[in-house]
Amino acid sequence: NAGVTQTPKFQVLKTGQSMTLQCAQDMNHNSMYWYRQDPGMGLRLIYYSASEGTTDKGEVPNGYNVSRLNKREFSLRLESAAPSQTSVYFCASKGGWGAGELFFGEGSRLTVL
Amino acid sequence: GQQVMQIPQYQHVQEGEDFTTYCNSSTTLSNIQWYKQRPGGHPVFLIQLVKSGEVKKQKRLTFQFGEAKKNSSLHITATQTTDVGTYFCAGPPGTASKLTFGTGTRLQVTL
């Protein structure tokens, strides 16, 4: 049971470099999310996709882009990384419509130098 | 925008003591969820509360949703070292597809 799989688990970038965080879920869930977690700040929503073909901004979308490639995959792209984007990134998914449990991936730790 | 605050930010207890974390939202919530994150791990769903005044129990854990649906609490009776981690509440501000997480309460339990 893979659940939600994120790659890579660790990445070090230099300021200005670009990269894409990949996320895939095998639970046939409609909704997918990208959160970032910083010490003392909890989890902040970057972007989410309520269903295949739709994406919406969360609390902290600046500096990021997303693609809902298909029902399974939701990627997060940093076009020009900045040190302020050093964080742990979590992808999550939710089945059904409306309220419900979020299933999280194991996280991707990104450091921008 | 919606803000969800939790207090305390950190609590250190001895094993066997009780623990409570409180969650307060700036807006009314349609439901509230609780998650636990072990050190170095990812958040794991614990429970969801939907009704005003609802109380649910899971073994030593008691969850409560306020009458006004703007606050919630998690109480752990007789903590154990396995309870160590950060506890987050989360609620949708409007559309149920989007969850805003609280700031979290980190619990440390020592023998």
Side-chain angles (χ1 to χ4, degrees):
Chain A
N1 292 344
V4 179
T5 304
Q6 291 180 232
T7 55
K9 288 188 169 39
F10 301 94
Q11 183 74 48
V12 178
L13 290 177
K14 293 182 180 177
T15 297
Q17 287 185 318
S18 62
M19 79 158 297
T20 300
L21 297 175
Q22 308 283 356
C23 176
Q25 52 91 10
D26 62 2
M27 296 174 282
N28 200 36
H29 284 173
N30 292 312
S31 303
M32 297 186 73
Y33 306 79
W34 276 106
Y35 286 90
R36 61 177 288 175
Q37 185 173 35
D38 304 294
M41 300 289 288
L43 290 143
R44 292 182 293 169
L45 182 63
I46 306 171
Y47 271 93
Y48 69 104
S49 171
S51 61
E52 186 179 355
T54 69
T55 60
D56 281 290
K57 295 178 181 179
E59 304 165 70
V60 289
N62 292 344
Y64 304 95
N65 285 302
V66 290
S67 296
R68 183 75 183 265
L69 304 169
N70 47 55
K71 193 170 186 179
R72 290 187 63 247
E73 298 171 288
F74 189 38
S75 63
L76 179 72
R77 182 159 179 85
L78 287 69
E79 290 292 350
S80 179
S84 60
Q85 294 178 304
T86 294
S87 189
V88 180
Y89 292 85
F90 287 99
C91 177
S93 70
K94 178 172 71 70
W97 303 102
E101 172 183 356
L102 258 60
F103 292 83
F104 283 84
E106 294 187 353
S108 299
R109 184 175 293 275
L110 175 65
T111 301
V112 183
L113 302 174
Chain B
Q2 182 200 29
Q3 290 188 333
V4 182
M5 303 298 293
Q6 284 183 250
I7 54 171
Q9 282 191 323
Y10 171 75
Q11 187 147 8
H12 183 181
V13 300
Q14 289 198 314
E15 190 175 48
E17 292 182 334
D18 291 357
F19 160 77
T20 304
T21 173
Y22 299 91
C23 173
N24 294 289
S25 171
S26 58
T27 59
T28 301
L29 302 170
S30 59
N31 66 81
I32 194 150
Q33 299 179 8
W34 284 91
Y35 291 78
K36 176 184 179 182
Q37 183 177 25
R38 293 184 188 274
H42 59 278
V44 174
F45 176 83
L46 293 176
I47 206 161
Q48 177 173 284
L49 304 171
V50 178
K51 298 177 185 176
S52 169
E54 188 170 12
V55 178
K56 285 189 176 181
K57 292 190 176 184
Q58 288 181 348
K59 297 183 181 178
R60 296 177 294 103
L61 277 61
T62 302
F63 304 84
Q64 195 161 10
F65 200 9
E67 294 289 342
K69 301 185 81 174
K70 294 181 72 173
N71 56 73
S72 181
S73 65
L74 159 58
H75 179 81
I76 302 179
T77 303
T79 55
Q80 300 175 358
T81 54
T82 53
D83 296 324
V84 164
T86 301
Y87 293 84
F88 293 98
C89 62
T95 168
S97 290
K98 181 171 132 177
L99 278 183
T100 297
F101 278 76
T103 45
T105 296
R106 186 161 70 93
L107 173 65
Q108 180 64 33
V109 181
T110 52
L111 295 171

